[in-house]
Amino acid sequence: MHVLRTIGIGLLVALHAATLEGQGSGAETLGPLVRGLSVSARVLVIGAHPDDEDTQLIAWLARGRSVETAYLSLTRGDGGQNIVGNDLGEALGAIRTEELLAARRVDGGRQYFTRAFDFGFSKNAAEAFTQWPHDSVLQDVVTVVRAFRPHVIVSVFSGTPRDGHGQHQVAGILAKEAYDLAGDSVRFPSAVTAGLGPWSVSKFYRGAGFRSESGTISFNVGRFDPVLGRSYAEIAADSRSQHRSQAMGSLQRKGTRLDYLVRESMRVPAPEDPREERSIFDGVDTTWNRFRARIGRPAGLTALDSLIDAVAALQADFDLFAPGKSVPALATALRLARAVCGSPILSIGCAMRGRYVRGEMRAVQPDVAASMDETERRLEAALVAASGVAVEATASREVWALGERIPVAITVYNRGVRPITLDRWVIWQGMQRSLPSDGPAPVVILPDSAATSNAEVMLEEATEPWWLTAPRHGSMFTPRILGVAEGDRPSAATAGAIVMVEGVPVIVEVPVVYRRADPVRGDVSRPIAGAPAVTLTLDRDAGYAPADGSIHRPLSVRVRSAASVEREVTITVDLPAGLLADSVSRTVKLPAGAQRTVAFDLRGRLLAGRHAVRVSATSGGKSYASGYHAIEYDYIGTQRLYRPSVLELEAVNVNVPPGLTVAYINGVGDNSAAMLEQLGVDVTIVDPATLPNVDLSRFGAVVVGTRAYEASDALVANNVRLLDYARNGGTLVVQYGQYEMQNGNLMPYPITLARPADRVTVEDAPVTIVDPSARILNEPNRIGGSDFRGWQQDLALYMPRTFDPAYVPSLEMNDPGEAPNRGALLVAPVGKGTYVYTTLAFFRQLPNGNPGAARLFVNLMAARASRSVP
């Protein structure tokens, strides 16, 4: 077995890796790469969230015009809701990060973020800036601008109240401020922007949005691309459809479709009247001629002239049906591109944003460096594709213990028509090269042949989202923004093959993956991941218990081993005063890579308040006290979020009617049912498709989760069963929906919502009790102002602006400076029963163990209207 050797740092710097996604060799890969070789313009689109981006603009620029295009989202969308599962908060941010990367793979853009955490809806920029330090987020935006070096910035938003969401307004404000200040080395010295020097952006545009008449320039994104086989509008719709957690599936419409931009500022001699522009690059020299005065070196200028001619000839002669014929021309062009910036270690002067070059290696000519860096990347990817080179690196399982030596099989395939030479292998962990070796000698790989070698790699850090490796400070993540595009961050382990094609070295790198055949999905590959040898995962972070009431419940601990050998593991539970376990510790033997569920039986009583149940383990002389939640969806990469093995139990002074039974229909991102069970409620989860066959009369209440009608056609179709249940004497509790709730068939009496809908986003906004004697606020728990303390992110959302007189409001609330709204909790008689509609954010409060939310929700389930109607 060979442990792979590393190569001289000069060669590593010189080679921009042709990554896994660039290994395609078909016309759809090669055509755009060759077409884009003479394009060196860059555009940065800036918005606030995943799904804000103008995918039509990105697809038209990146796929249609070969412009290097990127989207900067201030946040990862952590504060939204989840249509595809129950993950919320930081877990949802990880999902939406992957969805954005999937979208960029479709539309051809790159993806950046700032450190800003999406804390939820805000009404205006001032409110958003109370959560986000203005200068800190601006510094991040400037860092990305200096890293990407766009000629044009396009802001999705106007930066005015017209944008609605306060975070949208902030994105519009910061985009313009970054345009103004990215070139200011006094306001932002390079030391605070990851060592990146000033960059002056030539032009600034804003998206016209739904106000197409305001656009100063338009472009037809419906144009058909014969190489890609779709129009850019169709590609954009496909890109948008990657935002599955937001239900953004879009039709791929054919035909003419126009997109519009509004020019706002410029630093170049473009037409004074913006409506006279023919291109957003009017006035910007996007040709390679602009480099002549900046290169200076005679040899570099000679290489540039030769490169221009070589690319022109290559594009003229390129044959998509026989790409192998162009391999010599591609190799020559690549050699010339590297010589343009020439240095003792090849392209170090040009590899400005390459993943192997850091701080002090950034060039003094950023435009030359950025442009030639992208040119080299495209040439290398085209050369690899035209040569038919493909690389695979596989391991025998997905998760490995930290510090273990992981066997890796690396194979290089030559699927082309010309011999290639495999010079050597490299392998590394994350961004750090590791385990140098003597490796195999160079070998010639003939067409339709392959070479395989065995290697090892060692993972020293747990594989988790990089922005979550340190605790968040308020609404800001703490790891610094280094100006690296999200998709450029390597996997836990990366293998690379350095091949010589026509005498030119190229490194083809791929993540080390675990590959398996899924009976349904087929070929499934997942990057390997590092984990502590033992991890302990609890069912949830927070739970409820009745204060000073008898507690008898199991505590389940999922114990995972990431080790390659059997381990003996002792699990210990540390309990708060008042609780006892049937055993304080258990010992299990875990086979290699196995997992077991270990249960402790807890009994006792707890005083009102929050109490911590801590779980730890020892094995092999080491201690462990954390576990991970694996976020696994078929359409995105797996993410693992680590958290301490601690259960926070909230002991609540709550009265639950004896024998209360509830049918619960899950909503979107709904984790509430399990929390209600911990209060002593007998909960049955009901699939809305089975409603016609369920005897609802046996339940004391039926609860419908948040946005359930939007997510389930079956619920809409069977809603009459729920209303009949209420008319026959049952209590029906419906949690908030959006505008679909105005459909006359869903609620017993009409409501109307404003656009945008009313909501209360200030968590400590005062709540006024409209009628202190209202039954729903007194039975079985007396509700007061203290029950609304400690609510997170939202108090209420999508509140009705008006409602039928049959509804009796119980609460009144509003954000500062806004009119009071009484639509947060409505109770109405329906036949012999009761209908409760609430837009209070229980879906956030209950899973977090808020005591007041628990007390109030029990009242909702026990509600009885004060009168009945026929």
Side-chain angles (χ1 to χ4, degrees):
M1 176 180 292
H2 296 288
V3 178
L4 302 185
R5 63 185 177 185
T6 58
I7 59 176
I9 186 63
L11 186 55
L12 276 177
V13 169
L15 304 178
H16 305 273
T19 59
L20 179 66
E21 64 183 283
Q23 288 195 67
S25 56
E28 189 174 350
T29 296
L30 272 168
L33 285 170
V34 173
R35 181 170 60 193
L37 289 176
S38 56
V39 180
S40 60
R42 296 177 296 280
V43 174
L44 178 65
V45 181
I46 300 178
H49 309 104
D51 91 340
D52 287 345
E53 75 269 30
D54 185 345
T55 55
Q56 293 191 140
L57 173 65
I58 294 172
W60 183 78
L61 287 169
R63 296 299 189 195
R65 296 296 177 269
S66 301
V67 172
E68 194 178 0
T69 310
Y71 174 53
L72 168 59
S73 176
L74 298 189
T75 77
R76 299 172 186 270
D78 327 73
Q81 290 181 259
N82 183 1
I83 281 288
V84 298
N86 293 334
D87 296 296
L88 296 174
E90 291 177 347
L92 180 57
I95 292 172
R96 292 188 174 176
T97 296
E98 289 293 318
E99 290 177 341
L100 271 176
L101 292 176
R104 298 295 81 78
R105 287 191 289 270
V106 172
D107 59 36
R110 303 174 74 184
Q111 184 61 52
Y112 291 90
F113 296 96
T114 74
R115 290 171 293 167
F117 172 76
D118 179 1
F119 55 84
F121 190 84
S122 55
K123 301 289 182 66
N124 51 58
E127 181 183 332
F129 278 130
T130 65
Q131 300 289 324
W132 294 340
H134 189 139
D135 285 350
S136 296
V137 185
L138 175 58
Q139 176 182 306
D140 287 355
V141 178
V142 169
T143 299
V144 171
V145 170
R146 289 180 173 181
F148 187 66
R149 303 180 187 91
H151 299 101
V152 176
I153 286 178
V154 177
S155 173
V156 174
F157 299 109
S158 67
T160 69
R162 187 176 75 234
D163 299 328
H165 197 323
Q167 293 180 10
H168 292 170
Q169 297 176 42
V170 166
I173 291 168
L174 295 181
K176 183 57 165 62
E177 290 180 350
Y179 168 82
D180 293 334
L181 297 171
D184 188 338
S185 60
V186 175
R187 176 71 182 275
F188 291 101
S190 60
V192 302
T193 57
L196 295 158
W199 175 255
S200 180
V201 183
S202 298
K203 301 177 79 174
F204 182 83
Y205 289 80
R206 295 194 190 272
F210 297 106
R211 301 170 66 249
S212 59
E213 70 282 356
S214 67
T216 59
I217 189 169
S218 64
F219 38 92
N220 178 21
V221 298
R223 180 181 173 186
F224 179 75
D225 189 310
V227 175
L228 301 178
R230 293 189 289 178
S231 72
Y232 308 118
E234 290 174 288
I235 294 171
D238 189 3
S239 171
R240 191 156 206 77
S241 296
Q242 304 307 307
H243 296 295
R244 298 190 191 182
S245 67
Q246 302 190 68
M248 287 290 170
S250 302
L251 291 174
Q252 298 183 26
R253 299 185 185 277
K254 298 175 175 62
T256 298
R257 297 185 68 82
L258 298 180
D259 203 356
Y260 299 85
L261 296 177
V262 181
R263 194 185 78 194
E264 187 170 299
S265 296
M266 62 180 180
R267 295 187 174 101
V268 292
E272 194 67 29
D273 183 352
R275 295 184 182 275
E276 294 180 1
E277 284 191 325
R278 295 295 175 264
S279 165
I280 62 173
F281 298 110
D282 279 4
V284 181
D285 185 358
T286 60
T287 70
W288 286 351
N289 289 326
R290 71 184 189 275
F291 301 148
R292 295 184 184 281
R294 303 172 185 176
I295 293 176
R297 298 170 47 259
L301 289 171
T302 299
L304 178 63
D305 289 336
S306 298
L307 176 62
I308 293 172
D309 293 339
V311 167
L314 172 62
Q315 291 174 327
D317 297 337
F318 191 76
D319 185 352
L320 284 174
F321 291 99
K325 295 178 181 178
S326 295
V327 167
L330 285 165
T332 297
L334 178 55
R335 187 182 294 109
L336 290 169
R338 289 174 178 166
V340 170
C341 297
S343 74
I345 49 177
L346 297 178
S347 65
I348 184 173
C350 291
M352 292 288 293
R353 287 173 295 105
R355 66 193 65 181
Y356 309 119
V357 183
R358 299 293 171 247
E360 69 277 2
M361 289 184 168
R362 305 197 190 275
V364 295
Q365 291 294 343
D367 188 26
V368 178
S371 300
M372 295 311 300
D373 181 52
E374 179 63 11
T375 299
E376 288 185 44
R377 187 197 68 79
R378 290 175 176 177
L379 279 167
E380 289 175 349
L383 181 58
V384 167
S387 302
V389 177
V391 178
E392 294 178 347
T394 58
S396 59
R397 68 174 189 269
E398 184 177 354
V399 181
W400 295 80
L402 303 181
E404 280 192 332
R405 301 178 79 88
I406 304 170
V408 179
I410 306 177
T411 303
V412 177
Y413 298 90
N414 182 355
R415 302 191 291 180
V417 297
R418 297 171 178 271
I420 61 172
T421 298
L422 172 60
D423 184 78
R424 63 194 77 183
W425 317 87
V426 290
I427 192 166
W428 56 86
Q429 171 196 205
M431 300 176 99
Q432 303 296 323
R433 262 129 235 96
S434 61
L435 297 179
S437 81
D438 295 328
V443 59
V444 174
I445 305 177
L446 299 175
D448 295 321
S449 300
T452 299
S453 183
N454 295 320
E456 289 182 340
V457 69
M458 183 183 298
L459 302 181
E460 299 174 354
E461 298 178 350
T463 305
E464 60 183 319
W466 67 270
W467 64 94
L468 298 178
T469 54
R472 181 162 42 87
H473 289 168
S475 293
M476 294 289 288
F477 295 111
T478 52
R480 291 186 62 201
I481 297 296
L482 299 176
V484 178
E486 196 72 25
D488 289 348
R489 292 182 176 272
S491 299
T494 303
I498 299 170
V499 296
M500 306 294 291
V501 182
E502 298 293 313
V504 176
V506 180
I507 180 170
V508 183
E509 68 173 45
V510 295
V512 179
V513 301
Y514 167 58
R515 188 177 181 188
R516 64 184 177 86
D518 184 275
V520 176
R521 298 168 59 200
D523 193 333
V524 174
S525 293
R526 288 183 171 177
I528 65 169
V534 175
T535 55
L536 309 166
T537 303
L538 307 183
D539 289 342
R540 57 186 58 85
D541 297 328
Y544 284 126
D548 201 30
S550 177
I551 299 172
H552 182 197
R553 67 178 58 172
L555 173 69
S556 295
V557 183
R558 183 190 300 181
V559 187
R560 293 185 177 103
S561 170
S564 297
V565 296
E566 183 180 75
R567 297 184 73 104
E568 185 174 272
V569 182
T570 298
I571 303 98
T572 302
V573 59
D574 181 18
L575 298 171
L579 280 187
L580 296 174
D582 57 340
S583 174
V584 295
S585 66
R586 300 219 193 293
T587 300
V588 297
K589 287 184 181 287
L590 284 180
Q595 65 179 18
R596 295 284 186 272
T597 297
V598 176
F600 294 87
D601 191 51
L602 305 185
R603 294 174 181 266
R605 293 175 180 270
L606 291 173
L607 297 176
R610 186 148 290 213
H611 308 267
V613 176
R614 305 180 189 277
V615 180
S616 60
T618 56
S619 179
K622 294 185 177 181
S623 298
Y624 304 91
S626 67
Y628 62 81
H629 167 51
I631 301 173
E632 299 179 281
Y633 295 87
D634 288 348
Y635 67 101
I636 56 175
T638 300
Q639 296 272 25
R640 293 171 178 83
L641 274 62
Y642 282 80
R643 59 196 185 196
S645 303
V646 178
L647 169 63
E648 298 284 350
L649 271 180
E650 183 71 38
V652 186
N653 285 313
V654 60
N655 296 314
V656 178
L660 178 59
T661 58
V662 171
Y664 199 103
I665 299 171
N666 277 321
V668 171
D670 195 342
N671 298 296
S672 298
M675 301 299 287
L676 298 177
E677 286 185 309
Q678 295 179 43
L679 293 171
V681 180
D682 183 359
V683 178
T684 299
I685 302 297
V686 174
D687 183 337
T690 67
L691 280 172
N693 303 314
V694 176
D695 179 11
L696 296 178
S697 65
R698 63 189 179 91
F699 297 105
V702 174
V703 178
V704 178
T706 56
R707 296 174 64 184
Y709 289 102
E710 175 188 355
S712 173
D713 291 338
L715 179 60
V716 174
N718 293 319
N719 188 57
V720 65
R721 289 276 292 125
L722 300 182
L723 294 178
D724 285 346
Y725 162 79
R727 292 187 182 100
N728 290 328
T731 297
L732 177 60
V733 180
V734 177
Q735 298 177 71
Y736 96 94
Q738 297 188 350
Y739 294 100
E740 72 277 2
M741 300 309 294
Q742 297 177 118
N743 181 330
N745 297 323
L746 298 185
M747 299 179 67
Y749 312 108
I751 63 170
T752 64
L753 280 74
R755 287 186 181 270
D758 295 338
R759 58 202 300 167
V760 179
T761 61
V762 177
E763 296 94 329
D764 57 357
V767 177
T768 300
I769 294 178
V770 175
D771 179 6
S773 64
R775 181 181 298 177
I776 200 168
L777 299 179
N778 288 277
E779 297 178 7
N781 301 288
R782 187 173 181 83
I783 302 301
S786 62
D787 289 297
F788 295 95
R789 291 175 187 162
W791 285 46
Q792 297 182 17
Q793 186 165 328
D794 298 295
L795 278 180
L797 52 172
Y798 287 87
M799 303 164 71
R801 174 72 61 86
T802 67
F803 44 84
D804 189 277
Y807 293 109
V808 177
S810 302
L811 303 172
E812 180 179 274
M813 61 188 70
N814 57 276
D815 275 337
E818 297 187 351
N821 184 297
R822 294 188 171 189
L825 180 56
L826 304 175
V827 183
V830 178
K832 300 177 182 178
T834 303
Y835 184 92
V836 179
Y837 185 66
T838 179
T839 62
L840 292 167
F842 287 109
F843 75 101
R844 294 197 189 279
Q845 317 315 323
L846 293 175
N848 286 319
N850 182 277
R855 288 163 40 83
L856 178 55
F857 205 86
V858 168
N859 283 19
L860 269 56
M861 295 184 291
R864 291 292 183 269
S866 58
R867 58 189 175 85
S868 62
V869 296

